[in-house]
């Protein structure tokens, strides 16, 4: 791992800080968390500002519309925007952090030209249609079927936990195109318009009261074959590329956010007298070490991706992404458990921001692949242990 900062990278950091200092005070107030159309508009306006300033798709290849920045510059961007309190990607999460990068790597020239520019400009929002009611993280057992009919697939089935479905224009959709093939061998990755006839979206309300997920029901939805990314029945491999981006880099900025939250917790504990508890100080100290290590792991993954690009690879995060995702999920939950201890009775306030974050943290050992799935990947692909039966 090479952590040396070049002069160009430090110049990039200074320019970014200056732009954030000038731009953030001009932003309008954030909309209500319950108003998803307004949240979409806010998030897309921020994405357009990034695009106009040359920071959209920073780490995407230049031939995909990105800036061709180094992985280190990408991490600098995540670090500086989070420390400055800039808006998160929000409704643009799926498009920017895994659907877009997947299309950049796996899509045809026509697909890249059609889908990537609107993602980068904040004009089109994507959702993810992977999980199903009876499949969950076991994607190989999904049942949503796509039957070839001329130049289109006819798709029937349902998806659940579909991120941002109620405000999305497109869905990255994993379907079964060969029901006779075993497990993952008969799957395909499609891009589906969310306004297609036969698509029904029903928002799901989470424990924290938000509706960023939805059930999606598909009743003979026609999806053009031209909107398949990768070969027919090769969707499992394409999906592994998607999940590598989701697990490897999509959460990196959140590590910076957790480190900032940890500092705020320590300050709150000092102010309310709970800092005198040596056990609490040890707990916060351990969390500080853990998030520092996670940030180093993110840097390692970025360094690995940079090396792959230099040696003819595609820059897709490796299996180390599962190590990062597994440990981060549990560390985030530990952080907000510690917040309850540090804040005392204030942590029981249902409207407090950190209370909502604590409830949200419970989902992280499920989202983007459960911890059990990550443990299997680590055991089999990193440690070389035999597959379970």
């Amino acid at each position: 791992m090479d952590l040396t900062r070049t002069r160009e990278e430090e110049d990039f950091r200074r320019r970014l800080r200056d732009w954030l200092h000038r731009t953030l005070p001009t932003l309008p107030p954030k909309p209500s968390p319950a108003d998803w159309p307004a949240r979409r508009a806010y998030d897309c306006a921020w994405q357009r500002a990034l695009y106009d300033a040359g920071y959209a798709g920073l780490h995407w290849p230049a031939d995909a519309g990105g800036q061709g920045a180094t992985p280190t510059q990408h991490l600098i961007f995540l670090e500086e925007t989070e420390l400055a309190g800039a808006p998160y990607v929000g409704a643009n999460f799926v498009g920017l952090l895994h659907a877009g990068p997947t299309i950049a790597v796996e899509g045809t020239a026509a697909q890249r030209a059609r889908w990537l520019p609107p993602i980068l400009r904040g004009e089109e929002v994507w959702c993810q249609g992977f999980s199903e009611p009876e499949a969950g993280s076991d994607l190989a057992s999904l049942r949503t079927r796509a039957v070839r009919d001329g130049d289109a697939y006819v798709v029937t089935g349902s998806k659940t936990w579909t991120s941002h479905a109620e405000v999305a224009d497109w869905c990255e959709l994993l379907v079964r195109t060969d029901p006779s093939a075993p497990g993952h061998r008969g799957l395909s990755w499609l891009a589906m318009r969310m306004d297609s006839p036969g698509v029904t979206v029903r928002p799901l309300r989470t424990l924290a009261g938000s509706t960023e997920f939805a059930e999606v029901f598909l009743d003979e939805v026609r999806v053009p074959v031209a909107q398949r990314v990768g070969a027919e029945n090769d969707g499992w491999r394409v999906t592994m590329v998607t999940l590598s981006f989701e697990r490897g880099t999509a959460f990196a900025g959140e590590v910076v956010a957790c480190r900032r939250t940890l500092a705020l917790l320590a300050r709150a504990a000092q102010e309310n007298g709970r800092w005198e508890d040596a056990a609490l100080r040890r707990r916060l100290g351990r969390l500080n070490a853990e998030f520092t290590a996670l940030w180093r792991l993110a840097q390692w993954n970025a360094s690995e991706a940079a090396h792959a690009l230099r040696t003819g690879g595609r820059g897709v995060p490796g299996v180390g992404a599962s190590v990062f995702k597994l440990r981060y999920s549990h560390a985030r939950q530990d952080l907000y458990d510690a917040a309850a201890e540090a804040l005392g009775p204030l942590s029981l306030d249902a409207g407090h921001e950190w209370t909502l974050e604590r409830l949200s943290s419970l989902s992280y050992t499920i989202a983007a692949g459960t911890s059990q799935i990550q443990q299997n990947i680590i055991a089999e692909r990193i440690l070389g242990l035999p597959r379970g039966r």
Side-chain angles (χ1 to χ4, degrees):
M1 178 170 65
D2 182 7
L3 297 181
T4 305
R5 296 287 184 268
T6 65
R7 177 178 297 177
E8 291 77 9
E9 288 166 347
E10 290 303 333
D11 287 343
F12 169 78
R13 186 190 296 274
R14 284 191 291 271
R15 292 195 305 273
L16 176 59
R17 280 182 178 174
D18 289 344
W19 181 79
L20 290 169
H21 180 73
R22 295 192 310 271
T23 304
L24 293 182
T26 69
L27 298 184
K30 291 183 179 180
S32 165
D35 188 346
W36 267 104
R39 289 180 65 177
R40 172 190 161 126
Y42 182 88
D43 295 339
C44 290
W46 172 244
Q47 181 60 29
R48 181 68 201 209
L50 291 172
Y51 179 84
D52 291 340
Y55 293 116
L58 193 67
H59 62 302
W60 288 20
D63 62 3
Q67 304 300 315
T70 66
T72 298
Q73 286 175 317
H74 180 216
L75 289 181
I76 291 172
F77 173 81
L78 294 175
E79 188 173 30
E80 292 298 326
T81 52
E82 183 58 49
L83 290 174
Y88 187 53
V89 289
N92 294 307
F93 178 89
V94 175
L96 284 169
L97 300 185
H98 39 95
T102 301
I103 294 167
V105 172
E106 297 289 339
T108 65
Q111 290 171 341
R112 288 151 61 103
R114 166 60 187 88
W115 289 317
L116 298 184
I119 291 174
L120 291 175
R121 293 192 296 261
E123 295 170 354
E124 293 182 341
V125 170
W126 285 64
C127 64
Q128 184 183 77
F130 283 7
S131 295
E132 296 188 1
E134 297 182 14
S137 288
D138 184 15
L139 291 178
S141 66
L142 65 83
R143 299 182 181 182
T144 295
R145 293 187 60 178
V147 179
R148 184 75 175 260
D149 180 25
D151 61 357
Y153 292 104
V154 179
V155 182
T156 301
S158 64
K159 298 290 179 177
T160 193
W161 306 119
T162 309
S163 306
H164 306 311
E166 62 182 299
V167 293
D169 304 292
W170 290 89
C171 177
E172 52 174 9
L173 186 68
L174 191 61
V175 297
R176 185 165 298 285
T177 42
D178 185 355
S180 65
H184 58 272
R185 295 182 183 176
L187 305 180
S188 296
W189 198 107
L190 306 180
M192 180 187 72
R193 288 270 333 171
M194 288 299 289
D195 59 1
S196 301
V199 177
T200 301
V201 177
R202 296 180 184 169
L204 293 168
R205 191 165 299 280
T206 69
L207 182 65
S210 61
T211 57
E212 68 263 33
F213 303 115
E215 294 177 293
V216 176
F217 299 92
L218 308 169
D219 184 12
E220 296 188 347
V221 180
R222 295 187 69 86
V223 179
V225 173
Q227 292 172 197
R228 185 191 67 227
V229 175
E232 184 171 282
N233 300 324
D234 193 31
W236 182 261
R237 184 190 61 79
V238 178
T239 299
M240 290 305 101
V241 172
T242 303
L243 294 180
S244 292
F245 283 115
E246 184 178 25
R247 296 164 184 168
T249 56
F251 292 116
E254 295 189 29
V255 172
V256 182
C258 286
R259 295 174 73 181
R260 186 157 57 95
T261 297
L262 189 60
L264 294 173
L265 279 178
R267 189 179 310 155
Q270 292 167 1
E271 293 172 353
N272 65 23
R274 294 179 180 272
W275 191 250
E276 300 303 317
D277 185 343
L280 175 61
R281 295 199 305 273
R282 284 194 298 270
R283 187 174 189 181
L284 297 182
R286 180 187 61 78
L287 283 166
N288 181 60
E290 184 132 28
F291 283 113
T292 299
L294 278 166
W295 184 246
R296 290 290 180 256
L297 181 56
Q299 292 175 306
W300 186 89
N301 286 335
S303 183
E304 181 186 40
H307 175 73
L309 283 173
R310 289 194 299 269
T311 55
R314 300 184 299 170
V316 177
V319 291
S322 287
V323 178
F324 178 90
K325 196 275 173 181
L326 174 65
R327 194 52 241 163
Y328 170 70
S329 297
H330 291 272
R332 185 181 179 90
Q333 291 179 353
D334 291 345
L335 171 65
Y336 286 101
D337 281 346
E341 187 176 345
L343 297 174
L346 183 61
S347 67
L348 300 177
D349 181 352
H352 196 283
E353 178 183 359
W354 285 351
T355 304
L356 296 177
E357 289 288 352
R358 187 185 186 198
L359 295 176
S360 175
S361 74
L362 300 177
S363 69
Y364 276 70
T365 47
I366 301 173
T370 66
S371 290
Q372 290 80 7
I373 292 290
Q374 307 311 319
Q375 288 167 344
N376 285 343
I377 292 172
I378 293 166
E380 295 167 10
R381 301 184 193 176
I382 296 179
L383 301 180
L385 299 178
R387 293 177 62 87
R389 294 185 179 180

